[in-house]
Each structure stands twice: as structure tokens, then as C-alpha cells.
Amino acid sequence: MSDTRVDFWFDPSCPWCWLTSRWILEARKVRDFELEFHLMSLGVLNEGRDLDPDYAEHIATTWGPVRVLIAVAEEHGYDKLPDLYTKIGYKFHNDGRADAGDKKNAVAEALAESDLPAELMEHWDSTPYEDALRKSHHAGMDKLGKDVGAPCIHINGKGFFGPVISRKPEGEDAGNLFDGVVAASKYPYFYELKRTRTEGPQLDF
């Protein structure tokens, strides 16, 4: 059994989460570690913040997908999340269906492709699993402190914001980046390594 455990938190509407998730899955092909996916919510993260109106409008569209996903996790198992997220992520980000008007259709299609009940879409506007969603969110994000965002990753229980990457590394490139993140996680006094982004998400994969 591996002595490295990785817990990854995602909101399916976030392109930065999407790229980081593709990296961590690629890294697992060339490195030995335990991996589990969890849900966070951009809606919960931004509650009470003074947002730009355009961004606030975007954040409002993120609630439906995470409500459906937490219902999937609670009713059908958290092990369903990675595959379903992969299907949703390609539709949202690579196929350009992240606009409010098409998100709901994209999630419904992903459920059908995953042989999950169409009735799960009934959670889109409200869900009895609201507390479970918030519990999952805070389990990941609270360890990061304030002034952080998505994605969120824990390495052997130590939480970090990021890594934020604009492209999907593959093979040993993914493994080498993983090695660096694991190495940094071993130092309790390591907090931040950052530079200004010069490009947006590159989704041509």
C-alpha cells in the first residue's frame, strides 16, 4: 500500500479544478498513491463576498451541478464522482457547454452516460443534501485558511490551494509535478509559491 494519500476537492464548473484533476489522474498512472475525489462549491466559497456582477451571475450557475453531484455521492456512492466528473468536465470545458443555458442538459446527458437515474436532476434547484455538500466543502477548504480558492488538494492531510496549472501535463511531466507537490507538503512552514498567470486554461485535449 502506498504511503501517500491525495484528497482532491473540485467544483465541476471551475476550469482550474478541471485541469488539476486531469493532472492528478495522469500522475496516478506513473506514481503510486491513494486518491479520492470530494466536492467543494464555488457557491459556498463565495457566500458573503462582494463579487463583480458578471462573476456573481456565473457563480449562481454553479449550484445546480454540485447539488446533483452530492446527490449522486450520497445515494450511489462517492466512488461514482471521478467518472461522472470526467464526463461532465469534458462537456463543460472542452466542449464549451459551461454556459448557464446548456449546463443542465450537459449534466443530464452525463448521468445517462453513467447509467445513473435521470431523477437525480430533481436536485438541481434544491437538495436535501445541502448539509452534506457544505460538510464536504469545509472538510477540504477550511484547512487552507482565508483568501484561497479552487482547486484544493490535501497531501497526507496537509491542505493546499492548487496547484493551479493552465495546461494538462502528461506522463513523467505529470509525475514530476506530483513529486514536487508532495515534497513541498512535507514542510509545515511552506505556504506559497506563486507568479502571475499569463494564459488561461488550455483545453485542447
Side-chain angles (χ1 to χ4, degrees):
M1 180 180 292
S2 170
D3 60 358
T4 302
R5 176 183 172 89
V6 176
D7 291 276
F8 175 73
W9 275 261
F10 71 95
D11 183 309
S13 295
C14 175
W16 303 106
C17 284
W18 175 238
L19 282 162
T20 302
S21 75
R22 298 310 92 186
W23 156 69
I24 200 65
L25 289 171
E26 191 71 19
R28 195 170 59 164
K29 296 177 183 178
V30 294
R31 298 292 186 271
D32 179 28
F33 58 93
E34 297 180 60
L35 175 63
E36 189 166 342
F37 278 60
H38 309 267
L39 278 166
M40 56 86 62
S41 166
L42 292 173
V44 174
L45 181 68
N46 285 282
E47 283 179 330
R49 296 184 179 181
D50 185 18
L51 303 178
D52 173 84
D54 288 340
Y55 189 60
E57 185 176 344
H58 164 69
I59 291 299
T61 74
T62 68
W63 283 102
V66 292
R67 288 183 184 126
V68 172
L69 281 167
I70 195 64
V72 169
E74 291 291 309
E75 295 183 4
H76 298 274
Y78 280 72
D79 60 331
K80 298 289 187 183
L81 288 180
D83 181 64
L84 181 58
Y85 176 36
T86 291
K87 290 180 171 60
I88 292 172
Y90 274 108
K91 294 178 190 299
F92 278 12
H93 305 295
N94 297 72
D95 297 341
R97 301 179 64 185
D99 291 336
D102 204 15
K103 270 186 170 180
K104 195 169 186 178
N105 290 335
V107 173
E109 290 169 15
L111 290 176
E113 292 166 9
S114 301
D115 295 321
L116 289 164
E119 290 76 16
L120 287 160
M121 292 301 297
E122 295 173 4
H123 295 266
W124 187 268
D125 293 314
S126 65
T127 179
Y129 303 118
E130 173 84 12
D131 288 345
L133 174 60
R134 289 175 180 273
K135 182 178 179 181
S136 177
H137 173 91
H138 287 293
M141 301 303 293
D142 286 359
K143 283 192 176 184
L144 277 58
K146 298 180 180 180
D147 302 317
V148 294
C152 165
I153 193 169
H154 291 191
I155 307 289
N156 292 331
K158 298 185 178 82
F160 292 96
F161 163 42
V164 177
I165 54 176
S166 60
R167 299 171 186 246
K168 173 194 170 187
E170 298 184 356
E172 275 302 304
D173 285 342
N176 290 334
L177 177 56
F178 178 78
D179 294 341
V181 173
V182 172
S185 74
K186 295 178 180 178
Y187 296 88
Y189 47 84
F190 174 78
Y191 295 101
E192 186 172 357
L193 182 67
K194 187 175 181 178
R195 60 178 173 171
T196 300
R197 292 196 301 267
T198 58
E199 66 178 8
Q202 304 298 299
L203 302 167
D204 53 346
F205 57 87

